[in-house]
Amino acid sequence: MNKVWYLSQINIFEGMNNEDMIEINLLDAINHFNWFPKNTLVQTPGKVREGLFFVKEGKLKLYMLNERGKKITLDILERGNLFGELNSFSLGTKRVYIETMESSLICSLSEDQFKKLMIHRPQLAQKLIKILSDRLKERDDQLEKLAIHGLRTRVLHLFCTLSVKFGVIREGDVLINLALPQEEIANMLCASQEAVSGVMNELVNDGIIKTSHMSVLLSKTMLENKFHE
């Protein structure tokens, strides 16, 4: 698989034609890393990677630890998503742990390479601002739900958010195409696994979701109602 194809799959480059991709490729801005095996720590708060990074394949989990050492999952990044820190640009990932959820391939831009790319393709700066804005809005929405809503609403909001990022239509419903053990769901919601299990059993009984081993299938009707509230 060539680098031009990979560039076209990264959401900051979405919508660019093949000629643009070839020109960016010729700038020699993208560095490549080896595959990171599943459950590998790519970054810790004490060992931050400098640069702007693109997930080319796989999935990464961003999390923090509370004072008791419990994980609080902040975000899940898939192919095409970005993370990292530059002096001139930050995606807010400096103080977090970043761990692979599956075997993942990552490429990077240094500060100088980033500036060079912005000079040749200034429209990318607008896309970066949009990506950062969307990420901050998603995190603000998550914090709002954590602060003022009960656990059932928080679980539903989380599933709706994940369905947008990882949803696959299956027989009229939406499958979250992501391994979701209940412990991980609890980490995302700052809740106990027991409480999350109770809410999910309620949602199953109400016909809103179906569950199997580490997967969740959402009622399409529920999603449509949610997004038209």
Side-chain angles (χ1 to χ4, degrees), residues 75 110 113 122 139 157 173 190 212:
D75 205 351
S110 69
Q113 291 166 329
R139 192 164 298 177
H157 178 264
D173 293 325
C190 301
S212 58

Side-chain angles (χ1 to χ4, degrees), residues 6-7 10-13 29-31 33 51-57 60 77-84 91 104-110 114 117-118 124 128 131:
Y6 270 127
L7 286 171
I10 296 173
N11 57 11
I12 184 176
F13 301 118
I30 304 295
N31 289 328
F33 289 142
L52 192 62
F53 299 88
F54 304 88
V55 183
K56 294 176 68 171
E57 296 290 345
L60 306 179
L77 307 182
E78 63 173 341
R79 185 177 71 181
N81 290 154
L82 296 86
F83 67 93
L91 285 167
S104 301
L105 183 61
I106 299 170
C107 64
S108 71
L109 284 173
S110 69
F114 177 75
L117 187 57
M118 292 302 100
L124 292 183
L128 279 171
I131 290 168

Side-chain angles (χ1 to χ4, degrees), residues 78-116:
E78 63 173 341
R79 185 177 71 181
N81 290 154
L82 296 86
F83 67 93
E85 304 290 327
L86 300 172
N87 290 329
S88 58
F89 189 83
S90 171
L91 285 167
T93 56
K94 189 171 185 178
R95 297 180 178 86
V96 304
Y97 293 86
I98 302 177
E99 182 179 346
T100 58
M101 301 178 69
E102 58 190 48
S103 181
S104 301
L105 183 61
I106 299 170
C107 64
S108 71
L109 284 173
S110 69
E111 182 85 31
D112 289 342
Q113 291 166 329
F114 177 75
K115 290 178 179 178
K116 183 179 179 181

Side-chain angles (χ1 to χ4, degrees), residues 67-215:
E67 64 276 7
R68 298 186 300 276
K70 178 178 172 58
K71 289 182 180 180
I72 301 173
T73 302
L74 304 172
D75 205 351
I76 295 175
L77 307 182
E78 63 173 341
R79 185 177 71 181
N81 290 154
L82 296 86
F83 67 93
E85 304 290 327
L86 300 172
N87 290 329
S88 58
F89 189 83
S90 171
L91 285 167
T93 56
K94 189 171 185 178
R95 297 180 178 86
V96 304
Y97 293 86
I98 302 177
E99 182 179 346
T100 58
M101 301 178 69
E102 58 190 48
S103 181
S104 301
L105 183 61
I106 299 170
C107 64
S108 71
L109 284 173
S110 69
E111 182 85 31
D112 289 342
Q113 291 166 329
F114 177 75
K115 290 178 179 178
K116 183 179 179 181
L117 187 57
M118 292 302 100
I119 290 171
H120 285 80
R121 282 286 179 261
Q123 67 268 36
L124 292 183
Q126 296 179 347
K127 291 197 174 187
L128 279 171
I129 293 171
K130 177 67 164 57
I131 290 168
L132 181 58
S133 175
D134 289 346
R135 182 171 295 178
L136 290 174
K137 182 179 185 305
E138 182 178 317
R139 192 164 298 177
D140 285 346
D141 288 346
Q142 182 181 10
L143 290 173
E144 179 185 346
K145 294 295 186 298
L146 288 173
I148 66 176
H149 291 285
L151 185 57
R152 180 183 172 105
T153 298
R154 286 154 55 193
V155 169
L156 286 172
H157 178 264
L158 174 63
F159 288 163
C160 289
T161 299
L162 293 176
S163 71
V164 172
K165 297 174 71 173
F166 306 108
V168 176
I169 301 297
R170 179 165 294 182
E171 297 180 357
D173 293 325
V174 181
L175 174 70
I176 298 177
N177 190 25
L178 179 71
L180 277 178
Q182 289 188 2
E183 179 182 8
E184 191 64 64
I185 296 171
N187 290 343
M188 294 179 184
L189 297 170
C190 301
S192 70
Q193 187 173 340
E194 293 76 13
V196 167
S197 178
V199 167
M200 290 184 65
N201 287 335
E202 291 178 6
L203 295 174
V204 170
N205 292 334
D206 292 343
I208 295 175
I209 67 172
K210 299 175 184 176
T211 60
S212 58
H213 181 58
M214 293 199 303
S215 68

